[in-house]
Amino acid sequence: MFSTFGQDLARKYPPPRTLRSCVFAFFDMGIWAVGIFRFGKWVTRLRFQPARMVLLAVYFLLYKFSEALSGIRISSESEIGPGLVVHNFSGILIHGRLGRNCMIVQGAQLISRADGNNAGWPTLGDNVFVGSGAKVVGNVHIGNNVRIGANAVVSRDVPDNARVAPPESRII
C-alpha cells in the first residue's frame, strides 16, 4: 500500500520535496481520494478478521467523507496500478482496471453502460490520459499511451498510441 501510494504521490508532486509541495499535497483532494482507495485495498487484504472489520468501518467513513467533500468516487472493486494522478476534483467516477501512470482529470468518468449491452467496466492500459469531462463507457479496452480529449465519449476499444477527440469521439 505505502509503496504504491508513494508512487502516486511522487508522480503528482515529484521530488525534491519542499514545504510548499508538502502543504499542497496535504490539501489536495485527489491525493486524499487515491490514498483512501489504497488504504481500502490494503484493508480488504488483511487476514486478521477483527482488525479488518474495524478498519473497513474506518475506510467506509473516510471514503464517504472524501466523496462528499471532493466529488471523487474510486470504487474499491477497481484495480489500479501505481502512479495514478487524479487532477483536480469534482465529478470523477472510477470503476474498472487502470494500468500504471494514468491521469484522470476533473469530470472524467470510467463507468458501466446502463443499457445492459456491453456490460462491464473499462480497462485502461499504461500511461493513459483521460481529459476533463470525458466518459469511458462499458467493457472497452483502452491501449497504452492513449490520450482521451476533453468531453470525448469512448464506447469502443482504442488501440495503443491513439488520440480520441470529440465531438464524434473518433480515433485519430
Side-chain angles (χ1 to χ4, degrees), residues 67-147:
E67 180 184 8
L69 192 61
S70 68
I72 301 170
R73 182 186 311 167
I74 304 175
S75 171
S76 62
E77 297 173 4
S78 297
E79 292 296 327
I80 300 175
L84 174 66
V85 172
V86 175
H87 186 65
N88 223 328
F89 64 95
S90 186
I92 297 174
L93 301 174
I94 300 173
H95 193 147
R97 298 178 57 89
L98 282 72
R100 302 173 68 85
N101 300 324
C102 290
M103 180 179 283
I104 311 295
V105 182
Q106 182 174 350
Q109 298 182 3
L110 285 68
I111 53 178
S112 176
R113 288 178 61 139
D115 62 3
N117 296 329
N118 200 17
W121 307 102
T123 300
L124 277 62
D126 296 339
N127 305 310
V128 174
F129 173 86
V130 182
S132 180
K135 310 294 184 269
V136 182
V137 182
N139 187 20
V140 297
H141 297 277
I142 309 299
N144 297 323
N145 307 310
V146 171
R147 295 185 58 82

Side-chain angles (χ1 to χ4, degrees), residues 9-171:
L9 191 59
R11 183 140 182 272
K12 187 156 187 185
Y13 295 101
R17 300 260 194 295
T18 62
L19 178 60
R20 181 179 183 195
S21 68
C22 290
V23 169
F24 282 171
F26 182 77
F27 289 105
D28 188 326
M29 290 185 198
I31 293 292
W32 290 4
V34 172
I36 292 168
F37 166 76
R38 299 287 186 206
F39 173 70
K41 291 303 272 188
W42 176 75
V43 167
T44 58
R45 293 183 183 118
L46 284 177
R47 293 177 158 258
F48 186 60
Q49 187 72 11
R52 188 167 107 209
M53 298 312 287
V54 170
L55 290 175
L56 276 173
V58 170
Y59 161 70
F60 180 75
L61 292 173
L62 288 172
Y63 175 78
K64 286 300 183 183
F65 176 75
S66 173
E67 180 184 8
L69 192 61
S70 68
I72 301 170
R73 182 186 311 167
I74 304 175
S75 171
S76 62
E77 297 173 4
S78 297
E79 292 296 327
I80 300 175
L84 174 66
V85 172
V86 175
H87 186 65
N88 223 328
F89 64 95
S90 186
I92 297 174
L93 301 174
I94 300 173
H95 193 147
R97 298 178 57 89
L98 282 72
R100 302 173 68 85
N101 300 324
C102 290
M103 180 179 283
I104 311 295
V105 182
Q106 182 174 350
Q109 298 182 3
L110 285 68
I111 53 178
S112 176
R113 288 178 61 139
D115 62 3
N117 296 329
N118 200 17
W121 307 102
T123 300
L124 277 62
D126 296 339
N127 305 310
V128 174
F129 173 86
V130 182
S132 180
K135 310 294 184 269
V136 182
V137 182
N139 187 20
V140 297
H141 297 277
I142 309 299
N144 297 323
N145 307 310
V146 171
R147 295 185 58 82
I148 299 172
N151 297 319
V153 177
V154 180
S155 58
R156 60 184 175 185
D157 293 351
V158 177
D160 290 349
N161 304 309
R163 307 288 185 257
V164 180
E168 299 91 20
S169 297
R170 54 190 161 82
I171 299 171

